Amino acid sequence: MSSGALSDQETETVSIRDAIRDGIREEMLADDRVFIMGQDEEDGGSFEVTAGLHDEFGFDRVRNTPISEAAQVGAGVGAAATGMRPLVNLSFSDFIGVCFDQVMNQAGKTRYMFGGASEVPLTVRAIEGAGLNAAAQHSGTVHSLVAHLPGIKAVAPGTPAAAKGLMKSAIRSDDPVVYFENKTIYERRGPVPTDEDFTVPIGEASVERAGEDVTVVATQRLLGEANAAARDLEDVSVEVIDPRSLYPLDTDTLAESLKKTGRLVVADESPLSYGLHAEIVTRVVEDAFWHLDAPVQRVGVPDTPIPFSPSQEDEVVPDADDVGRAIQRTI
C-alpha cells in the first residue's frame, strides 16, 4: 500500500522518532535478514531512535560497533552483498566523509560493476542538522553530497508518515539507500497509518498544503517552518511540498505545482552553493520555465560550517521568517 491520502486511512498520531522505530521494528519482524549495527545501538542508539529493539531482538539482530563509520558501512556493504539487509546508523552525518569510499565506490557501484549479478540492499541512517549548538562537526546537513552519487538513493522525511513509510521502503530496497534524519524534529508529531503494509514509495513527493499563489518546496525541519510561514501570510495562498525523496526526485509533482502557482521557493537546510536547491530549481525549470512569473528564491545555510556559538548558529540557520521573506519576494 502506498501512502495515498492519509484522510482515507486509519491513523494514529506519533512522533517522527517513534515512526522510524516502528518502521524498523515491523521490517525486523517481517524479515530475519534485517539487523542493526551502530554506535550504542544496544542502548537505544543515537537520540534513542532504536530504544527497546535490542531487548526485543537480542545481540544477533542489534549490536554495537566501534566508533568507526568506515568499519560500520564497510561491514554493512559486505553483509548486504552476501544476502543480509543491514541497517547501519551513522550517529552524525558529518562523519560520512570517512566512509565515502564504502558509500560511493562499493555500495553505489557494485551492482553496475558486476552487471547486476550482485545487489547491495543496505540502509544507512544518517543524522544531520543544526539547532542543538553541537558545533561544526555535529551540525552539518550533507544530503546533497550523497544524492549526487550515482547508484545511491537518498531520502529525507519531514513528517512521521514519511519517516515510517520511507524507512520501510528503504529496508526493502535492493539498492543502497541513505536515510537522512534531521535531529531537531524527532518530536514532530503527526498522523501515521496503522496498516503494517503502509509504505511511502521512494521517489514520490507529497503536497502537504494546497495553495494557488506560490509553491514552497521544503525539506525536513524547514517543512515545518514553511507551513508556519504559510499560516502567517494571510493574503498569500501557499502550496507546500515535501519532496521526501532527494534521489530519485519527483520532478513531475513539483513542476505541476509550479505550472499552477507560477512562483517557486526552495527551502533546505544545506549550504546554498552547488546543492539540492539548485538541483530542484533546475529540474522544475526544465519542465515549466514558461510558467514562471517571478525569479525563483532559495532559503538555506550560507556557505559556512555551522558555528558553535548559539547566537551565531541562530544567525545562519534559516527559519520561518526567512521562508516568509522569500515568499514575499516572489509576489
Side-chain angles (χ1 to χ4, degrees):
M1 175 185 293
S2 65
S3 58
L6 293 181
S7 59
D8 297 335
Q9 304 177 49
E10 182 177 348
T11 63
E12 58 182 350
T13 299
V14 301
S15 67
I16 285 180
R17 176 187 287 106
D18 290 342
I20 295 172
R21 183 188 306 122
D22 291 345
I24 295 171
R25 180 176 181 274
E26 289 175 5
E27 292 308 299
M28 293 184 75
L29 289 170
D31 188 340
D32 60 12
R33 296 174 299 171
V34 180
F35 73 100
I36 299 173
M37 291 190 296
Q39 298 161 27
D40 301 320
E41 287 298 330
E42 294 172 25
D43 296 317
S46 305
F47 301 95
E48 300 182 340
V49 173
T50 52
L53 297 182
H54 178 264
D55 292 340
E56 182 173 357
F57 292 98
F59 177 75
D60 287 343
R61 307 283 302 279
V62 181
R63 60 175 59 187
N64 291 340
T65 65
I67 304 176
S68 171
E69 286 78 4
Q72 292 171 228
V73 177
V77 171
T82 51
M84 302 297 286
R85 290 187 175 271
L87 177 63
V88 174
N89 176 25
L90 300 182
S91 298
F92 293 93
S93 67
D94 307 73
F95 299 108
I96 202 167
V98 300
C99 56
F100 228 56
D101 179 70
Q102 288 81 352
V103 174
M104 180 175 71
N105 281 325
Q106 311 307 327
K109 296 179 180 177
T110 293
R111 174 190 289 276
Y112 299 88
M113 291 194 300
F114 292 98
S118 181
E119 298 174 337
V120 183
L122 166 70
T123 301
V124 176
R125 290 180 49 223
I127 300 171
E128 62 179 1
L132 299 183
N133 310 133
Q137 293 180 333
H138 299 78
S139 302
T141 299
V142 301
H143 47 236
S144 290
L145 298 175
V146 173
H148 178 74
L149 300 174
I152 302 288
K153 297 176 180 176
V155 300
T159 66
K164 181 177 181 179
L166 284 172
M167 176 55 74
K168 292 169 71 71
S169 292
I171 292 173
R172 296 180 187 184
S173 173
D174 290 331
D175 296 309
V177 180
V178 181
Y179 181 103
F180 288 96
E181 304 168 19
N182 186 290
K183 65 172 74 73
T184 67
I185 60 171
Y186 280 130
E187 291 302 317
R188 180 180 290 172
R189 297 176 66 81
V192 176
T194 57
D195 186 347
E196 292 190 357
D197 289 330
F198 164 75
T199 62
V200 170
I202 295 174
E204 182 178 286
S206 171
V207 179
E208 294 292 320
R209 178 190 178 97
E212 301 293 333
D213 296 331
V214 57
T215 298
V216 178
V217 180
T219 63
Q220 297 178 310
R221 182 182 62 80
L222 286 177
L223 177 63
E225 301 296 304
N227 281 323
R231 289 193 295 269
D232 291 341
L233 294 170
E234 298 179 353
D235 298 329
V236 183
S237 176
V238 181
E239 181 147 296
V240 179
I241 298 178
D242 179 3
R244 303 193 295 197
S245 176
L246 310 181
Y247 190 89
L249 181 67
D250 182 1
T251 307
D252 290 344
T253 295
L254 309 185
E256 286 305 310
S257 180
L258 176 60
K259 290 176 183 177
K260 178 176 63 174
T261 66
R263 296 172 174 83
L264 176 64
V265 173
V266 180
D268 179 64
E269 189 189 305
S270 63
L272 286 166
S273 294
Y274 300 96
L276 183 68
H277 306 83
E279 183 62 27
I280 289 175
V281 172
T282 301
R283 294 279 194 98
V284 174
V285 168
E286 283 175 343
D287 286 357
F289 175 78
W290 301 109
H291 295 268
L292 270 176
D293 294 325
V296 176
Q297 299 294 313
R298 297 180 295 166
V299 178
V301 174
D303 297 336
T304 177
I306 302 298
F308 172 71
S309 163
S311 60
Q312 292 182 0
E313 184 183 66
D314 291 343
E315 184 68 23
V316 302
V317 176
D319 59 16
D321 290 340
D322 296 303
V323 178
R325 285 191 286 271
I327 293 172
Q328 294 283 16
R329 289 195 294 271
T330 69
I331 301 302

